[in-house]
Amino acid sequence: MNQRFALPDVGEGLTEAEIVSWKVTTGDTVAVNDVLVEIETAKSLVELPSPYAGTVVRLLAAEGETVDVGADIVVIGDGAEPAEPAEPAEPAEPAGPAEPAQPAEPVAPAPAEATPSAAAPAAGADSSGATLVGYGTREAAPSRRRRGAPAAQQTAAQQPAAGGHVLAKPPVRKLARDLGVDLATARATGPGGTVTRADVLALVPSAPAEPARRVEKHDRERHVPIRGVRKATAAAMVESAFSAPHVTVFTTVDATRTMKLVQRLKADPEYADVRVSPLLLVAKALLVAVRRNPDINATWDEANQVIVVKNYVNLGIAVATPRGLLVPNVKDADELSLKDLAVRLGELTATARAGKAQPRDLAEGTITITNVGTFGIDAGTPILNPGEAAILAVGKISQRPWVHKGKVRPRYLATLSLSFDHRMLDGESGSRALADIAAVLEDPARALTWS
Amino acid sequence: MTDAAAGPPRDPQAPQEAQYPQDPAAAQPMVQLLDRHGVRRTHPEHEVDLEPEELLALLRDMVLLRRLDTESEALQRQGQLGLWPGSRGQEAAQVGAGRATRRQDQVFPSYRDHGAVLARGIDPLHILSVFRGVDHGGWDPATTGMHPYTLVIAAQMLPAVGYAMGVQRDGAVGTGDAARDSAVITYFGDGATSQGEAAEALNWASVYQAPVVFFCQNNQWAISEPVSRQSPVPLHQRAAGSGMPAVLVDGNDVLAVLAVTRAAMDRARAGGGPTFIEAFTYRMGAHTTSDDPTRYRSAAEVDAWREKDPIDRFRTHLRAEGLLDDEHEAALAAESDAFAERLRAGVREIPDPDPVSMFEHAYAEPHPQVLAERDEFLAAWEQHDEEARELAGGAS
């Protein structure tokens, strides 16, 4: 007999989870409590152990898919029935109205072979009663995902009693309200005659029913779902690029003295347990420049029609992490000694790279540094972290020929580029700020005279 | 985010393992009868002398408790339980203290004390019924001597003191009759000591010399809050302020916990008053199945405590004493498997409660207002059923 395993609520009130990776495939033999799949909920990554021993007959959800709690995700057989054909995750477009293999939109309360335990005693013959206490009657998986076809093809749909009370979940009611659709006109295809999301969307003329999320394999293309940090980054960059008119200014700086200072600090016993890098001195140079040019440490407040100039610096550092680009910031960096700044920068980047950056680390930045030089690049035109007035890109620091004291010498050169929001800053102020940063890197002693 | 290899978070306030980070010197010496390598130690005040079968029974209790925990966590992940608070790592503390109670004693647990429940001979399926959300209590406190789990932190402590004062007033203390003299034990965690009730309970118990033992499992973490941010002094020192003796015991040493708790319970039964026990242990798993501990504590800390595993330590000791052989281990493993199978099958058989039953336990005797509410509820339910059937077009 085949058993179906429905996605449980693993965390007190979650409604959905994303399939991160399957640990089994069709045909695998599994024992009770063998890990089947890793899912990601709003709370954490969780592994789901198998409740059944047997053979994996079919995976009902693809990796990357977001699945509702209660939806079946895998079929496990005891070997008595032959396994269904392989690669079932890509069903052909439904040819006819009936789609027996899909657990979708069942008219009956639940598929007969569904988990016999949880809902059984209260549901069964009298499923509607159990809805009073919030469990018992579970919605069987509406497999709206993956299939672009709206549920209108479900010919078995029921018409709710005209003029009567329409059954629908609150989010579906809200959707109907938002779309201006009368719920009573929807063809109810959900369990127990409830109106589903797809039913509502089917009533909207030419509505993109559910965006088809293509995650299937393709010979010559790779389809990467847009989500998580990628999605957040995309939204932030679009917002920034199309609300703040960007200007970028460049300068090349002789950072030889900075590199010498880095070497000296590395040998300094006081800095023995701290990571000293050129980036640390670039950060310090930027902080000095902010002190002399406070306007670059500002934000545009559209709602109140003011430019908010900050008297504190929360210094953001762009970090490439396994999750994607993150910009954690050092709070009140302007008040830190050079050593404390080094410690905080080290902690922040290590935490971010380990994937443990906390929301508070990422919030309330005031100005940002992006170190494109670590990728061997000379310069870039960085896009502002949304809400900030300026961002500094630091290019590769390497030895190149340079005219020094009238002679061509090998010197450590770096290209700095500063993008700024032209709504708040003009060419003059942006250029002055960048020149100040360059001046400190050229001669770190200036940091003393300017502070 | 759950990359265990990522190393410790660089939190300057992160606590060191296995010692009081603030001031280790301020803590009492820890009572230990088995060191971390399973070598038997002696202690001038606390000793325990057990028969071989009693020792093996302690091992069995701990092994089955861990299996209950593993299996229940899996059942939660399979949708059979709504939630599970894990007991892994705390087996010695719970089994040791659990085996120190007598039939007539009364136990007031928190919600993670599955070992204490098993020690009272209660079917573990009753625990699962609570976390399946089909029962609020699980077992009968009157017949089992086990109060229901208390989910509100520290809320069981004052009732425990009150019950102990009742025992006192019943004259069931200090009579010298071993079958009559009774004590109360209440279980709570390190986080509970931050609650006002804990302070009240300690003070009240001491003022009245109530026969109650305060058994604090310091598992180092109150969800994500380390004990170093809960208390500036070692937890057992709280007892001094209310004027009762306290013992710090290695909570991963089942023999030491049993010895210390037994002595405290005997003292309470004899009319000697309350005792505070701090069992120093570690929650190896998540706070509950809704928690992700990798977000707040390091893999290195967990690894360090794994070295002090209470079951491994006791097993090593029994092997060294020649009390445990492969045959016995195999029998225990088989028993554990059967126990797990019984849990898996049993949890699916637990019936959903009849909603009307909620009106039955509000008062001991029929109450007119509650009965009227019940009738109203039944009528509303009936009507809902009819409407639902109509709307569903007979589908149900």
Side-chain angles (χ1 to χ4, degrees):
Chain A
M1 194 182 80
N2 286 346
Q3 310 261 28
R4 285 166 182 269
F5 180 31
L7 183 73
D9 169 12
V10 296
E12 293 178 272
L14 299 173
T15 56
E16 59 179 25
E18 183 186 317
I19 305 290
V20 175
S21 63
W22 282 102
K23 306 298 181 190
V24 295
T25 83
T26 308
D28 282 0
T29 303
V30 293
V32 168
N33 292 348
D34 279 358
V35 173
L36 293 175
V37 62
E38 186 177 45
I39 62 170
E40 181 165 19
T41 70
K43 292 185 174 181
S44 57
L45 283 171
V46 167
E47 288 180 334
L48 299 184
S50 175
Y52 311 112
T55 308
V56 176
V57 176
R58 191 165 171 198
L59 307 182
L60 300 174
E63 290 180 1
E65 210 176 291
T66 297
V67 182
D68 288 342
V69 165
D72 292 334
I73 54 173
V74 59
V75 181
I76 296 173
D78 60 4
E81 292 169 34
E84 291 177 35
E87 295 300 327
E90 298 173 89
E93 278 302 299
E99 233 191 311
Q102 290 283 345
E105 280 88 26
V107 178
E113 71 272 37
T115 319
S117 53
D126 186 21
S127 70
S128 51
T131 55
L132 275 176
V133 285
Y135 59 85
T137 301
R138 279 208 222 148
E139 188 185 9
S143 74
R144 57 181 162 78
R145 301 152 298 276
R146 195 181 335 124
R147 296 186 307 153
Q153 299 185 8
Q154 300 287 334
T155 54
Q158 300 146 13
Q159 206 65 42
H165 180 65
V166 183
L167 295 173
K169 292 179 181 174
V172 176
R173 291 184 189 281
K174 179 171 188 306
L175 178 70
R177 217 170 32 244
D178 292 348
L179 294 173
V181 168
D182 181 3
L183 267 183
T185 62
R187 293 165 64 85
T189 64
T194 52
V195 175
T196 68
R197 198 178 163 77
D199 301 339
V200 171
L201 290 170
L203 290 177
V204 183
S206 74
E210 283 283 310
R213 277 174 63 177
R214 299 181 51 183
V215 292
E216 65 264 40
K217 286 181 184 141
H218 193 286
D219 285 347
R220 303 173 65 183
E221 296 171 349
R222 194 160 61 92
H223 292 237
V224 182
I226 299 164
R227 58 172 191 259
V229 174
R230 183 78 265 150
K231 193 170 178 178
T233 304
M237 289 301 98
V238 168
E239 185 205 331
S240 177
F242 295 104
S243 66
H246 284 55
V247 180
T248 308
V249 288
F250 297 81
T251 189
T252 297
V253 57
D254 176 357
T256 308
R257 288 192 180 122
T258 291
M259 295 305 278
K260 281 183 179 158
L261 179 57
V262 168
Q263 293 310 321
R264 276 219 303 281
L265 290 177
K266 278 183 176 169
D268 188 332
E270 203 180 320
Y271 282 80
D273 50 351
V274 211
R275 183 175 145 71
V276 179
S277 67
L279 180 65
L280 170 64
L281 296 182
V282 171
K284 192 69 190 176
L286 176 61
L287 292 170
V288 171
V290 169
R291 181 190 289 265
R292 286 165 55 84
N293 308 271
D295 289 351
I296 67 168
N297 188 46
T299 197
W300 181 271
D301 185 345
E302 181 70 35
N304 295 316
Q305 287 297 300
V306 285
I307 293 168
V308 184
V309 180
K310 314 268 172 79
N311 292 329
Y312 57 92
V313 183
N314 291 345
L315 177 62
I317 303 289
V319 184
T321 76
R323 289 169 60 195
L325 176 68
L326 294 181
V327 188
N329 60 74
V330 177
K331 300 282 186 286
D332 296 320
D334 52 323
E335 292 181 0
L336 297 178
S337 69
L338 187 64
K339 186 180 170 189
D340 288 343
L341 183 62
V343 171
R344 293 289 296 124
L345 278 176
E347 283 170 0
L348 208 60
T349 49
T351 309
R353 288 207 181 95
K356 293 178 192 300
Q358 299 293 316
R360 65 174 181 275
D361 296 335
L362 304 174
E364 295 175 3
T366 65
I367 195 164
T368 297
I369 297 176
T370 175
N371 189 6
V372 295
T374 55
F375 307 112
I377 295 303
D378 286 337
T381 56
I383 294 184
L384 292 161
N385 207 15
E388 298 177 11
I391 180 168
L392 175 69
V394 190
K396 173 179 65 175
I397 305 179
S398 63
Q399 281 197 322
R400 273 168 274 177
W402 187 254
V403 178
H404 179 68
K405 295 181 180 169
K407 286 183 179 160
V408 176
R409 299 276 189 204
R411 302 288 289 177
Y412 280 99
L413 301 187
T415 302
L416 306 176
S417 42
L418 186 81
S419 290
F420 55 88
D421 184 341
H422 211 331
R423 289 177 301 180
M424 288 180 266
L425 301 169
D426 297 327
E428 185 195 358
S429 40
S431 301
R432 275 185 195 282
L434 184 62
D436 282 357
I437 297 166
V440 173
L441 292 177
E442 203 151 302
D443 179 8
R446 265 193 210 286
L448 268 182
T449 58
W450 283 349
S451 61
Chain B
M1 205 160 287
T2 52
D3 183 4
R10 304 219 181 155
D11 182 354
Q13 295 185 49
Q16 302 296 304
E17 56 103 4
Q19 62 175 1
Y20 275 97
Q22 308 92 330
D23 186 5
Q28 286 182 13
M30 199 182 290
V31 178
Q32 199 178 51
L33 295 178
L34 285 178
D35 72 12
R36 57 186 298 181
H37 306 295
V39 178
R40 186 71 159 85
R41 305 278 179 213
T42 55
H43 192 277
E45 287 171 60
H46 297 283
E47 262 309 329
V48 65
D49 189 21
L50 298 177
E51 298 298 322
E53 54 269 30
E54 291 176 304
L55 292 167
L56 289 172
L58 289 176
L59 177 68
R60 173 182 175 273
D61 286 353
M62 291 201 287
V63 167
L64 293 186
L65 173 56
R66 181 158 297 182
R67 190 57 182 261
L68 169 66
D69 183 55
T70 313
E71 210 56 43
S72 302
E73 192 178 304
L75 285 167
Q76 196 279 338
R77 295 295 186 229
Q78 290 159 358
Q80 297 296 328
L81 301 178
L83 180 74
W84 180 253
S87 53
R88 187 154 47 93
Q90 298 176 226
E91 289 87 354
Q94 296 183 3
V95 168
R99 286 293 165 195
T101 58
R102 288 189 197 153
R103 190 188 47 77
Q104 71 268 27
D105 295 334
Q106 191 78 16
V107 184
F108 285 74
S110 177
Y111 51 82
R112 195 191 299 287
D113 305 311
H114 317 312
V117 179
L118 295 183
R120 300 298 287 183
I122 294 168
D123 187 334
L125 281 170
H126 288 313
I127 307 176
L128 301 192
S129 74
V130 173
F131 291 106
R132 191 175 167 86
V134 298
D135 198 322
H136 289 305
W139 51 83
D140 179 1
T143 57
T144 58
M146 187 88 193
H147 198 76
Y149 274 172
T150 303
L151 300 181
V152 177
I153 303 302
Q156 72 279 21
M157 295 176 72
L158 277 167
V161 174
Y163 194 97
M165 290 169 64
V167 170
Q168 216 170 17
R169 277 146 190 75
D170 284 346
V173 176
T175 66
D177 179 355
R180 176 167 166 75
D181 285 346
S182 312
V184 174
I185 181 169
T186 179
Y187 290 72
F188 55 99
D190 41 288
T193 62
S194 299
Q195 296 282 350
E197 281 120 311
E200 286 181 56
L202 292 175
N203 185 60
W204 204 242
S206 201
V207 165
Y208 283 90
Q209 287 294 292
V212 54
V213 173
F214 293 94
F215 189 77
C216 175
Q217 289 171 82
N218 177 359
N219 71 13
Q220 314 301 329
W221 290 94
I223 308 189
S224 56
E225 201 72 354
V227 71
S228 59
R229 271 185 265 178
Q230 293 275 329
S231 175
V233 299
L235 299 180
H236 55 272
Q237 288 196 355
R238 298 288 184 88
S242 55
M244 75 173 72
V247 188
L248 173 64
V249 62
D250 184 341
N252 285 15
D253 173 353
V254 68
L255 295 181
V257 174
L258 178 59
V260 162
T261 315
R262 219 178 231 183
M265 294 292 277
D266 282 346
R267 182 169 174 274
R269 290 189 202 102
T275 306
F276 187 104
I277 297 172
E278 178 183 355
F280 202 77
T281 181
Y282 194 71
R283 187 191 83 214
M284 291 300 291
H287 166 68
T288 68
T289 43
S290 297
D291 172 44
D292 177 1
T294 61
R295 293 192 181 200
Y296 53 80
R297 68 185 191 186
S298 70
E301 179 186 305
V302 180
D303 287 344
W305 276 94
R306 190 170 289 122
E307 297 289 308
K308 301 176 199 167
D309 186 277
I311 300 181
D312 290 348
R313 184 190 302 194
F314 193 51
R315 190 175 258 142
T316 309
H317 168 64
L318 294 180
R319 286 263 180 191
E321 295 287 308
L323 297 172
L324 181 65
D325 55 20
D326 290 346
E327 195 186 339
H328 191 94
E329 283 272 31
L332 187 52
E335 184 184 1
S336 176
D337 287 345
F339 175 76
E341 184 51 47
R342 187 176 161 269
L343 292 176
R344 273 200 301 273
V347 77
R348 291 156 198 271
E349 301 298 323
I350 300 175
D352 282 355
D354 184 351
V356 177
S357 66
M358 68 178 150
F359 296 97
E360 290 165 10
H361 304 301
Y363 288 90
E365 291 167 7
H367 186 288
Q369 194 178 339
V370 173
L371 289 177
E373 281 173 4
R374 186 194 64 186
D375 293 343
E376 200 179 322
F377 169 79
L378 283 169
W381 190 6
E382 185 81 5
Q383 191 186 351
H384 176 274
D385 269 9
E386 254 166 49
E387 285 176 6
R389 262 194 295 276
E390 263 172 41
L391 290 170
S396 63

